[in-house]
Amino acid sequence: MHVDSVDGGSERTVELDRDRVPFLVRWFRGEVVYRTWGQEASFATDGSTAPRPVPLAAELGVPSPDGRQWARVTKDEVVLRQGDGQLLDVVRERGLGRSALATAVWEDGRHLLTTLTRGREMALARIDTRNGSVSLATDWQRASYAGLPVLPAR
């Protein structure tokens, strides 16, 4: 597997076991994540180290600040999992997570933020992970194709 330089570093190549055919899943936190035939877990590598298994939850979402929960936005819902992949909750709301890049960020250890779109308006939604309630974090504004950018704080 060849990993090109995307952050100014050098490109790298890692040899993978050819017993299973790898399928690229995505670029995740500076690592290439891939699946293989016949394996439940995915694998990740930064191109410098040997591939390691990735837990289901880590592959499917964004970790909470304490690393105990993972969240992933899908079509009109947010899926919450424990670190071991166990399903905690599915929050469903019409228009939830609709944007050019459906994602969520943790506001704190109990609340997620993501885009909420209704008709021609959009707002930032706050999801309370304790009870699955959805409230508005911003006022409604005219919707755009891209939605509201939801980016982690640095």
Side-chain angles (χ1 to χ4, degrees):
M1 179 176 343
H2 183 79
V3 181
D4 196 2
S5 170
V6 294
D7 62 356
S10 60
E11 55 190 49
R12 300 171 295 257
T13 301
V14 175
E15 287 204 27
L16 303 175
D17 182 4
R18 293 183 139 197
D19 291 342
R20 306 214 190 296
V21 178
F23 297 94
L24 182 64
V25 174
R26 70 173 182 241
W27 182 261
F28 181 69
R29 294 202 174 117
E31 296 183 310
V32 173
V33 179
Y34 66 93
R35 293 191 83 98
T36 61
W37 283 110
Q39 296 275 333
E40 286 296 317
S42 293
F43 297 88
T45 180
D46 63 3
S48 299
T49 58
R52 61 178 172 64
V54 179
L56 175 64
E59 177 185 319
L60 292 179
V62 179
S64 62
D66 62 9
R68 294 173 51 188
Q69 294 184 68
W70 295 77
R72 178 172 183 242
V73 178
T74 63
K75 187 177 191 298
D76 293 334
E77 64 187 24
V78 172
V79 178
L80 298 166
R81 294 185 181 272
Q82 288 183 164
D84 63 2
Q86 181 178 342
L87 184 65
L88 292 172
D89 196 5
V90 177
V91 179
R92 291 183 176 89
E93 183 82 23
R94 182 177 57 86
L96 195 62
R98 288 189 187 165
S99 62
L101 181 60
T103 189
V105 296
W106 290 89
E107 181 177 38
D108 55 36
R110 298 184 335 238
H111 298 94
L112 278 165
L113 300 173
T114 191
T115 303
L116 179 63
T117 304
R118 296 269 171 80
R120 295 181 181 198
E121 292 185 312
M122 65 183 178
L124 198 58
R126 177 180 290 116
I127 300 168
D128 187 327
T129 61
R130 293 171 299 176
N131 60 20
S133 66
V134 178
S135 61
L136 295 183
T138 65
D139 292 330
W140 290 101
Q141 59 183 290
R142 185 175 179 184
S144 70
Y145 169 75
L148 293 168
V150 184
L151 303 171
R154 292 204 181 237

